Amino acid sequence: DGGITQSPKYLFRKEGQNVTLSCEQNLNHDAMYWYRQDPGQGLRLIYYSQIVNDFQKGDIAEGYSVSREKKESFPLTVTSAQKNPTAFYLCASSIQGGARETQYFGPGTRLLVL
Amino acid sequence: GNSVTQMEGPVTLSEEAFLTINCTYTATGYPSLFWYVQYPGEGLQLLLKATKADDKGSNKGFEATYRKETTSFHLEKGSVQVSDSAVYFCALSARGANNLFFGTGTRLTVIP
């Protein structure tokens, strides 16, 4: 089955700790994205990558970092600089970047602060 | 700039009722428009899309028509079911942008 997997489903972070959220896709898509969802709000873009070894900041990149060493993987690290990390994190991918491409989403990771 | 304004919820309907969720947008150029659905505790699933004016997207009994003159993309379904209970997001993808712009979502609850 082709699709996007995210792990873990729930993640707990202690104060001052960095945590990494996994996103893997086997759709052979070039572009991948990370969004943050807060209760009662729409999704906001954190980072996106149109191709391996390249990524761009989105609207709320501060306190986050990413890497794109492989086409199928786009991990997101929530650093200690992110002061309000509690949210639902969604990874997405599309065949290519750009306005006409449909984005497909993973099941999400819920991050909670202890 | 690019933005999406969605009808505020929550919306509660009886089974077999008619559904409309309003969505209007502001965008540079001619965007593509999408409706996504999110079931409890899950990620978003693409419900339907339209890429140019007057296009109608449809899926699972849901429909939305891209109206350039009113900058709208309202979601409709003639007869809702309990299984349609979810949060619905309207989104646009604008020329020159790489991300989707989302509305705030509308929670739909269908009661038997």
Side-chain angles (χ1 to χ4, degrees), chain B residues 23-57:
Chain B
C23 171
T24 57
Y25 67 89
T26 303
T28 53
Y30 300 100
S32 293
L33 300 172
F34 305 83
W35 277 101
Y36 282 87
V37 58
Q38 184 178 35
Y39 298 101
E42 298 184 10
L44 274 66
Q45 299 177 24
L46 177 67
L47 182 59
L48 53 84
K49 70 175 185 179
T51 58
K52 61 183 188 295
D54 299 325
D55 266 2
K56 178 185 283 189

Side-chain angles (χ1 to χ4, degrees), chain A residues 84-113:
Chain A
N84 184 23
T86 297
F88 192 46
Y89 290 86
L90 288 158
C91 179
S93 71
S94 61
I95 295 174
Q96 297 176 349
R100 300 298 183 195
E101 295 295 329
T102 299
Q103 293 185 19
Y104 298 90
F105 286 80
T109 292
R110 190 167 299 280
L111 177 60
L112 300 165
V113 177

Side-chain angles (χ1 to χ4, degrees), chain A residues 26-79:
Chain A
N26 61 3
L27 300 168
N28 201 32
H29 286 177
D30 282 328
M32 297 185 75
Y33 311 81
W34 274 106
Y35 291 89
R36 170 178 170 143
Q37 185 181 22
D38 292 284
Q41 298 188 32
L43 280 67
R44 293 181 291 168
L45 184 69
I46 305 172
Y47 268 97
Y48 66 95
S49 168
Q50 294 197 44
I51 198 166
V52 174
N53 291 323
D54 181 63
F55 49 83
Q56 305 295 327
K57 292 182 179 179
D59 299 323
I60 55 165
E62 185 174 350
Y64 300 97
S65 66
V66 294
S67 63
R68 187 86 187 276
E69 297 176 0
K70 298 186 296 182
K71 187 175 184 177
E72 58 270 24
S73 178
F74 191 41
L76 173 74
T77 296
V78 184
T79 75

